Amino acid sequence: MAKQPDPARRSQRSRQAILTAARELVSEVGYAKLTIEAIAARAGVGKQTIYRWWPSKGAVILDAFLALSESGPEQDITLPDTGDLEADLKAVMRATVAEFADPAFEKPIRALNTEITNDPTLAALYLEKLAGPVDEAKKARLRSAQRAGQLAADADLDLALELLYAPLYQRWLLRSGPLTAQYADALVDAFLKAMRPTGPS
Amino acid sequence: MAKQPDPARRSQRSRQAILTAARELVSEVGYAKLTIEAIAARAGVGKQTIYRWWPSKGAVILDAFLALSESGPEQDITLPDTGDLEADLKAVMRATVAEFADPAFEKPIRALNTEITNDPTLAALYLEKLAGPVDEAKKARLRSAQRAGQLAADADLDLALELLYAPLYQRWLLRSGPLTAQYADALVDAFLKAMRPTGPS
């Protein structure tokens, strides 16, 4: 029996080629100069193929970054939980600070950030598809700490995550201070003080 | 005696016209579409007049915003100091949250922010000329609280300001949550808990 062409597989290959091209090009030329035409040319597909799947340049780029973290199923996003909240958070924050300080991530992530902050539709997509699931994983770790009596039971976990991550995000974005392991530790220390249970101990 | 033309005054008038035009235009068309030509046309000056004083579009916009807060001398930037740290900080943070939530500020400030985060030179200029002096004023208030024993004497004041302001900045930038007076208060409460003196009370 002759082999049938497999449209689903071909489609999947095109999709991967587009995402890879988008990721490469945003690093090479920056977001502002990146065009759908250039992505199509490098991926070896027509422009219309891209527009069939994505409404905008920003949406392609966002998916290109999402694809990087889609190596495993979504439930794989979990934070370490050894029972030692301080040690677990310091390990996570040191890794996060190192990632932000990595020059290889600098250009594409800054480009994506610019798009997200200037495009409310893309911001909503980002919150739903990327930040949301990651934040849920972080909150699961904080809830475990609440059950262990290490964090205030009534702590607002959205505010808690902002306290832990927003200073780092702002420092990276405005280039206003060093991104070091010491800084990661100091953030966790301040966070734990702000969020620890009140009342008689 | 006939009146002499006054080049310094004419220069000052041109400068003001350029800054006003820049501020108006960035609100009307957004940063990306704003050109030096358009600013020059609206201000009634030549392009070369603008380039004589500013190296880039971003530098003009930054000065346009700086001019807004230059109504008084620089030492006028002070935070309220009634002795009640919690009340003072909540007043300041409620006002700051309201400013960020104001649609009139939205477009130009977001445009300026995009430039700052993508242009390291402009970021340095922004830190030196705008954020720096304002941060110093905020730190003066925190030092007063340290002397009064209301904040830990060894608190890192750069980290302290980030804890207080970065969550709001991130929430505004990513449009990830409501900007309300309740949020301002919750930020101050968390900040005070994180920064209060340790040891026997």
Side-chain angles (χ1 to χ4, degrees):
Chain A
M1 219 170 105
K3 267 199 191 159
Q4 298 291 320
D6 182 340
R9 187 172 298 172
R10 206 172 51 221
S11 204
Q12 184 55 24
R13 261 204 312 270
S14 296
R15 203 182 131 82
Q16 281 310 323
I18 291 164
L19 295 177
T20 302
R23 231 172 10 243
E24 288 173 1
L25 283 165
V26 81
S27 300
E28 289 168 24
V29 305
Y31 184 88
K33 290 183 187 158
L34 181 62
T35 61
I36 292 283
E37 284 80 358
I39 299 173
R42 178 159 311 184
V45 303
K47 236 172 86 169
Q48 285 317 311
T49 305
I50 298 184
Y51 281 121
R52 198 186 317 145
W53 288 323
W54 293 278
S56 68
K57 183 168 88 168
V60 186
I61 300 294
L62 183 61
D63 263 357
F65 284 96
L66 277 170
L68 278 183
S69 52
E70 271 172 7
S71 37
E74 204 163 88
Q75 55 267 38
D76 268 359
I77 315 175
T78 50
L79 262 61
D81 192 350
T82 66
D84 183 340
L85 179 64
E86 182 182 334
D88 289 350
L89 289 182
K90 285 186 175 172
V92 168
M93 291 307 290
R94 283 177 180 210
T96 308
V97 165
E99 199 174 283
F100 273 100
D102 182 349
F105 280 73
E106 173 68 17
K107 216 167 165 182
I109 292 190
R110 208 169 275 274
L112 179 63
N113 185 77
T114 295
E115 285 320 293
I116 287 167
T117 58
N118 284 295
D119 179 344
T121 310
L122 195 63
L125 204 65
Y126 166 79
L127 288 174
E128 180 201 326
K129 293 179 80 173
L130 192 54
V134 173
D135 281 354
E136 266 317 304
K138 293 170 184 169
K139 285 182 191 172
R141 179 63 187 91
L142 299 186
R143 278 190 208 101
S144 158
Q146 285 179 313
R147 285 190 298 272
Q150 297 160 332
L151 286 187
D154 62 348
D156 173 339
L157 295 187
D158 287 310
L159 180 64
L161 288 186
E162 287 176 340
L163 280 178
L164 194 54
Y165 285 90
L168 163 61
Y169 174 65
Q170 176 180 288
R171 186 175 277 216
W172 169 74
L173 209 52
L174 302 181
R175 301 176 172 90
S176 52
L179 300 175
T180 60
Q182 289 73 14
Y183 179 61
D185 289 356
L187 271 179
V188 172
D189 290 337
F191 168 82
L192 290 175
K193 241 181 119 181
M195 292 290 142
R196 72 184 164 198
T198 42
S201 60
Chain B
M1 218 169 107
K3 267 197 191 161
Q4 297 290 321
D6 182 341
R9 186 172 298 170
R10 205 171 54 222
S11 204
Q12 184 55 25
R13 261 203 312 269
S14 297
R15 206 182 130 82
Q16 282 310 323
I18 291 164
L19 295 177
T20 303
R23 233 173 8 245
E24 288 172 2
L25 283 165
V26 81
S27 301
E28 290 168 23
V29 305
Y31 185 89
K33 289 184 187 156
L34 181 61
T35 61
I36 292 282
E37 285 79 359
I39 299 174
R42 179 159 311 184
V45 303
K47 236 172 87 169
Q48 285 318 311
T49 305
I50 297 183
Y51 281 122
R52 199 186 316 144
W53 289 324
W54 292 279
S56 68
K57 182 168 87 168
V60 185
I61 300 293
L62 183 60
D63 263 357
F65 284 97
L66 277 171
L68 279 182
S69 52
E70 273 172 4
S71 37
E74 206 165 84
Q75 56 267 39
D76 268 358
I77 315 175
T78 51
L79 263 62
D81 192 350
T82 66
D84 182 340
L85 180 64
E86 181 182 334
D88 289 350
L89 289 182
K90 285 187 175 171
V92 168
M93 291 307 289
R94 284 178 180 206
T96 308
V97 166
E99 199 173 283
F100 273 100
D102 181 349
F105 281 74
E106 173 68 17
K107 218 168 166 184
I109 292 190
R110 207 170 276 273
L112 178 64
N113 184 77
T114 296
E115 287 319 294
I116 288 169
T117 57
N118 284 296
D119 179 344
T121 311
L122 195 64
L125 203 65
Y126 165 78
L127 288 175
E128 180 202 326
K129 294 179 81 173
L130 192 55
V134 172
D135 281 355
E136 266 317 303
K138 292 170 185 167
K139 285 181 190 173
R141 179 65 189 89
L142 298 185
R143 280 191 206 100
S144 159
Q146 285 179 312
R147 287 190 297 273
Q150 297 160 332
L151 286 187
D154 63 348
D156 173 339
L157 296 187
D158 287 310
L159 179 65
L161 288 185
E162 287 175 342
L163 280 177
L164 194 52
Y165 285 91
L168 163 60
Y169 174 66
Q170 177 181 287
R171 187 175 276 215
W172 169 74
L173 210 53
L174 301 181
R175 300 179 174 89
S176 52
L179 300 176
T180 60
Q182 289 72 15
Y183 179 60
D185 289 355
L187 272 178
V188 172
D189 290 338
F191 168 81
L192 290 175
K193 240 180 123 182
M195 292 291 141
R196 72 184 163 198
T198 43
S201 59

